[in-house]
Amino acid sequence: MTNDKMILMANQIAAFFNTQPGADQSKGVAQHIKDFWEPRMIAQLRAYLAEGGQGLDPLVIEAATQV
Amino acid sequence: MKDFIIPGQNDAWGNGIQDETDRGTPAHTGAPVTLTIDGMEITVPAGTSVMRAASELGIQVPKLCATDSLEAFGSCRLCAVEIEGRRGTPASCTTPVHAGMTVHTQTPKLRKLRKGVMELYISDHPLDCLTCAANNDCELQDMAGAVGLRDVRYKAPESAPLANHFEARDTSGAANPEWLPKDDSNPYFTYDASKCIVCNRCVRACEEVQGTFALTIEGRGFDSRVAVGAENFMASDCVSCGACVQACPTATLQEKSVIELGTPDRSVVTTCAYCGVGCSFKAEMQGDQLVRMVPYKHGKANRGHSCVKGRFAYGYASHSDRILNPMIRDSVDQPWKEVSWEEALDFAAKKLVGLQAKYGQKSIGVITSSRCTNEETYLVQKLTRAVFGNNNTDTCARVCHSPTGYGLGQTFGTSAGTQDFDSVEKSDVIIVIGANPTDGHPVFASRLRKRLRQGAKLIVVDPRRIDLLHTPHMGEGHHLPLKPGTNVAVVSALSHVIVTEGLMDEAFIKARCDLDAWEDYKAFISEDRHAPEATEALTGVPAATLRDAARAFATGGNGAIYYGLGVTEHSQGSTTVMAIANLAMMTGNIGREGVGVNPLRGQNNVQGSCDMGSFPHEFPGYRHVHGDEVRQMFEQVWGVSLDAEPGLRIPNMLDAAVDGTFKGLYCQGEDILQSDPDTKHVAAGLAAMDCVIVHDLFLNETANYAHVFLPGSTFLEKDGTFTNAERRINRVRKVMAPKNGYADWEVTQMLANAVLKETGGARWTYTHPAEIMDEIADTTPSFAGVDYALLEAEGSVQWPCNEEHPIGTPLMHVDGFMRGKGRFIVTEYIPTDEKTGPRFPLLLTTGRILSQYNVGAQTRRTENSLWHDQDLLEIHPHDAENRGLKDGDWVRLASRSGETSLRAKVTDRVSPGVVYTTFHHPDTQANVITTEYSDWATNCPEYKVTAVQVAASNGPSDWQQTYSAQAEKSRRIAAAE
């Protein structure tokens, strides 16, 4: 998938968990990605992060370390 | 081709038929009452009619206007009885039983009376029984025999003709003014007024069962006749559900198929293959010729009712477009080549194995079908997990109800609706949100309308003014005409009113829900920004209207919520499902009859396909592939090691195909090119694959990009089960041999074995779908108690069906939620990224209509197209006028994704700024317009919100013409060598 689409998907997930109460929103994002993203999608996210991760929600960036 | 199998002979489970005696009046519940009929004592519930009590004793009181699907009417006078201590001869259908009553159904007085009544009926009825379509299937004929009618004394005098309704001309040759020509305008049945006895059953069926009120009796006395309020049936409000035909005791309303073929000689109970209601039907047969489909009175989902699709639209099964031989080709620009099954399967297997060798184990996958049986779906997902060695399996639920699975799973702990359909009979306030039941789930809609006529309140949350709001004789109705994409804001505003006005059910919340989560949610939803006054500008729903609706739901008694794809197919689809669950929990509307959260599933087996592990992240029974214990259990049963990581969802498969890492697909019974969003992207994905295997009845749009075509079988040609929207597992029974030679489960097994032949694995050896169900039961706790013997005994069961619930579970979460405590979830409204603007100022939302089904592959190949032969764009008069458009004009519909052309229908059913169309016709390809935006949690596409522009057009667009030419070229089949 295009990076733009991946960024959109990841940021949508972050947008939901950003609204949730508590202090472990990044954990929710990470778990959601682990539960539903296929390994090559996760690999793409990691590769994009390695290039700087421009456009990704900070919560996604935080969560990616837990995926 | 296999040998012809006579259905039933090789099937140990029978035809499913139970006692179908018509007891004349509906059953009642009440205190026991004992009475004596013809010297025999019987005890029945209070409220039961004498006629029904007699029937329970095996005494059939003659009747014509009575039938047990309708309330008693008491007009025909044939069912008269004598009751000791009472004067006269009361009608047994309208006389309720009383304790100690002594009834006589056969006396000289009654015999004389009945014979006289029948004589009068027959004096105005043609005596053409031998050539009548209802010969041997006519209650008038039966009753003439039952009362011993031997002569009709009422003859025309020689001086003048006797007035009647059945002779076109009198003896002098003059036209009979009382005679009406047969109305054969409806494609499926005729109305022959000359055979009508004016028993009123058709009129009452249209009112009581269907709820359309299309029929009436006009005139009085001898001039009385059935009327449709229009020139003919086709021009009337009739929705062709068949209830009137079913109720008619003569050949007045008669199926054209019976007129053509004659009466059937055997019946087999099976399940409709259209929507998620899952109606039970009797397939009435002559040999292997289907004569008609008749709704089965003991069907627990439909209770003897039907719609135009299930009742009549089965002609596709024998349509000449069906492909019956396997076909292959090396590239999609070549014509198809018909080959043997062995060659096709060998070709497909070698391609798939080769692709995995070249591109990796995860380079291929499957799409299971929500139109196929549970057993077939189970095998397809097993094919990818156990044979391909990956989890790349998905299903059309991805594009419809995947948010239901996620949302209800998070809040309640299970991915299914909470009720059975009977539950609506106990509802007092009913919210319908993002669903159009009269069109999408018509048989359930009839039951819902019945409840509305009894006084239940209705709250519709929908951008369109759906037909349910026009239910005749309904009481209080609220329409919340929200702007597309604002569901979360509207449902949250409803909850805000309930919480801030203290209308929630504190006791339920305290006993049944996670209190920490509730406190978080309560604080969130109480904020002023969720008040209807604050959201009005955003949602378009007037604050006062919304407050009234919220109060009605919270205080009106049993509150039930029914929803459809207008909830799920949004970027916040899953969030809206959670918001709905919150609303039900806070009002205590969970865990008993009349309440609940009820997703109306689109296709016949969407629920089942999800249950069977079609999603790439979970095994059958909604258990994640990460779970070691479950995965190891399947590894042991299947004898292979399994992938522990989620596979690709449909949109991800297409993306990966474009990227070059996904190269092969087995697609059973789905047409993703027409049904999935952003057609151009779907086409690009399919075109990038090296092996697309389409397994279907027809060369559908997806097959334009296929390399292998495996012919499919219809629901009439195979055994199995479907699971409907109420979790009901219903039997599908084979009534004829597969025209293509094999049931779909056999084809999948042959494909698996062809691949296993290449890879060296152990062959699959299923010999009947019952064995597959046994494997499902062995591996899936919610199905642990299900087998074909139980289904035969019970008719159907609702999962969970296991040791704890041996005959199933009609209501979920009765004593506690599946997850323990119900979990409130904060549901913040987040606007979609799909925005209107100067270029695309209108919002398009899509849906379907009564006569067509999904991509139309089946219904377009029936006479149903007479009602809907093209997709139309509904547009508000203001928007049409601004663009100079008139009703019927060709218009160009354009979005950021693409454009198409279709004709306009100017109507104020849609709000200004909103346009609507269906996606039933490939000539239109409405999904060229829809975008790739999707639900945040599940990737369910956002079909319901697309920013568009509409302008005048001269006809089909260049893209449509190019696509049509390409599709025609792709469907070429090479002449046999």
Side-chain angles (χ1 to χ4, degrees), chain B residues 200 228 549:
Chain B
N200 218 297
V228 291

Side-chain angles (χ1 to χ4, degrees), chain B residues 215 234 283 522 532 603 607 634 759 791 809 890 916 955 964 968:
Chain B
L215 306 182
M234 201 59 184
K522 186 179 174 185
Q603 300 197 48
Q607 180 69 58
F634 275 105
T759 59
L791 296 174
T809 310
W890 276 100
Y916 165 88
S964 180
E968 188 177 343

Side-chain angles (χ1 to χ4, degrees), chain B residues 21-28 37 42 44-45 47-61 67-69 92-93 95 97 297:
Chain B
T21 302
D22 182 351
R23 304 203 180 281
T25 61
H28 281 73
I37 303 176
I42 185 164
V44 294
T48 301
S49 70
V50 169
M51 174 182 280
R52 187 175 180 100
S55 179
E56 305 260 349
L57 271 173
I59 299 168
Q60 303 307 319
V61 181
T67 184
D68 59 13
S69 62
S92 62
C93 64
T95 304
V97 295
K297 69 185 291 183

